Amino acid sequence: MKSGRLLFLFLMAALMVSCRSATGPQSFAQILDRPDRPKIALVLGGGAARGFAHVGVIRALEQGRIPIDMVVGTSVGSLIGAIYASDLNSFELEWTAFALEKDHLLDYGLMTALTGMGTVKGDKLENFVKARIPVEKIEDLKLPYAAVATDLNRGTRVVLRKGSIARAVRASSAIPGVFQPVEYQDKLLVDGGVVDNIPISVAREMGADIVIAVDIGENVTNFNITNIFDVILQSVYIMFNENTLFRKKDADVLITPALGTVGMFDFTRKKQVMQAGIDATQKALPEIVSTVEKWMRGEGRKR
């Protein structure tokens, strides 16, 4: 009788172990439902047309059931981040991205180049944001959001968390020498990538416990430089890439899509770039899950 009871207890224990093993992914889902779970920030770096990779990253995170509690972006990262923060729908974001062409963003003008401080005014970019996002102010977005710009006069980082979404994105994306600087909030602003192309520290300041950062600046090699515009873009690209070398190490999870030689204004390879974002994020999902689980065990940064 005793041996039968022992056998029964042994079988029940084995069954419980089996159930726990089989429900591993469900236990992670349960963690995400807990009120004390970590706040997860998505930080999107700059890189112009390479930013289509951000769309793929968001889609893969959504498919992997990874929650995004806040978004911080520089340059194109501020654009993609704002569109997502307004709707929280990667499918709609993808449709918007596929419809986006260079002419929707770049309003070149001879007089702008001769009399201004850049060849592109930036009105088109600002109007594009206004047309795609139904709310006007950052405070009305569905997710906490910040766009990072640079104070051209003082050489300091400017974090835009209030006011016009469209103007914040325009300022954050004003590549020096290409876009005219933006007068906003009593400052003259240019692209945030000048000082902080992957603003991980901003996400920490906003209360993020875990930061997933996306670096789209890998591989600055370009042998197709033929005019002054190319020279400016390549120089800026190198600068952006250099200022991320140490900052990106502060991310809890760093996603680096394999974008090869895609140029900053190459809008012809959107599908390829998005897919690179998806692939890189899918590879990173186990690391994200592990990072969250470690944080819940008290092994991560608790703030």
Side-chain angles (χ1 to χ4, degrees):
M1 192 73 175
K2 184 181 291 186
S3 61
R5 183 177 298 172
L6 289 174
L7 178 60
F8 173 78
L9 292 174
F10 175 81
L11 290 174
M12 287 298 296
L15 179 60
M16 290 174 66
V17 170
S18 174
C19 288
R20 281 198 296 269
S21 175
T23 59
Q26 293 179 8
S27 65
F28 178 68
Q30 291 168 357
I31 287 174
L32 297 181
D33 286 336
R34 288 174 52 171
D36 62 338
R37 72 163 177 82
K39 293 181 180 178
I40 301 174
L42 180 63
V43 175
L44 304 175
R50 286 173 154 237
F52 289 113
H54 292 324
V55 179
V57 169
I58 292 171
R59 177 180 168 187
L61 288 175
E62 199 172 84
Q63 291 176 338
R65 309 297 186 195
I66 305 299
I68 299 172
D69 298 300
M70 62 189 77
V71 181
V72 181
T74 290
S75 200
V76 69
S78 75
L79 171 62
I80 300 299
I83 296 172
Y84 181 71
S86 73
D87 191 44
L88 308 185
N89 188 323
S90 66
F91 182 76
E92 291 297 328
L93 175 63
E94 190 170 335
W95 271 107
T96 299
F98 268 118
L100 181 61
E101 297 296 342
K102 192 187 303 184
D103 290 341
H104 292 143
L105 306 178
L106 304 181
D107 40 7
Y108 295 103
L110 179 60
M111 291 305 296
T112 302
L114 293 177
T115 63
M117 291 182 280
T119 60
V120 178
K121 290 188 294 183
D123 291 340
K124 275 191 173 183
L125 172 57
E126 188 167 350
N127 290 333
F128 176 85
V129 176
K130 289 178 179 178
R132 294 302 187 280
I133 297 179
V135 296
E136 180 184 351
K137 294 184 177 181
I138 291 173
E139 301 93 305
D140 296 326
L141 291 169
K142 294 180 180 179
L143 283 181
Y145 165 86
V148 175
T150 300
D151 185 325
L152 185 59
N153 296 118
R154 299 171 181 83
T156 55
R157 185 187 71 184
V158 177
V159 180
L160 302 170
R161 294 189 59 190
K162 294 182 179 180
S164 168
I165 302 165
R167 184 53 61 97
V169 170
R170 178 176 177 175
S172 180
S173 305
I175 300 172
V178 179
F179 284 83
Q180 292 230 45
V182 178
E183 293 184 10
Y184 187 50
Q185 297 186 355
D186 298 321
K187 297 180 179 69
L188 190 64
L189 303 178
V190 294
D191 197 302
V194 173
V195 292
D196 197 350
N197 204 38
I198 303 183
I200 295 165
S201 61
V202 174
R204 301 282 186 208
E205 291 162 11
M206 291 171 63
D209 298 304
I210 292 175
V211 174
I212 301 170
V214 186
D215 178 14
I216 55 172
E218 187 182 36
N219 188 4
V220 299
T221 303
N222 183 359
F223 291 104
N224 189 30
I225 299 172
T226 59
N227 54 55
I228 185 64
F229 187 72
D230 291 340
V231 171
I232 293 172
L233 276 179
Q234 180 66 359
S235 300
V236 169
Y237 193 17
I238 292 169
M239 175 180 62
F240 287 4
N241 191 58
E242 284 296 311
N243 80 32
T244 66
L245 290 178
F246 295 101
R247 286 187 174 91
K248 62 188 181 183
K249 296 177 182 178
D250 293 330
D252 296 291
V253 178
L254 180 66
I255 297 173
T256 307
L259 301 177
T261 59
V262 175
M264 288 184 72
F265 278 91
D266 184 354
F267 281 66
T268 66
R269 300 159 73 180
K270 287 182 280 191
K271 187 173 181 180
Q272 172 192 336
V273 173
M274 287 184 200
Q275 188 60 51
I278 292 171
D279 293 343
T281 306
Q282 288 176 341
K283 289 179 182 178
L285 286 176
E287 183 184 358
I288 295 171
V289 171
S290 174
T291 300
V292 172
E293 291 176 339
K294 286 180 180 178
W295 193 94
M296 292 298 294
R297 294 196 299 268
E299 299 172 21
R301 296 186 179 95
K302 297 219 176 196
R303 298 177 184 273

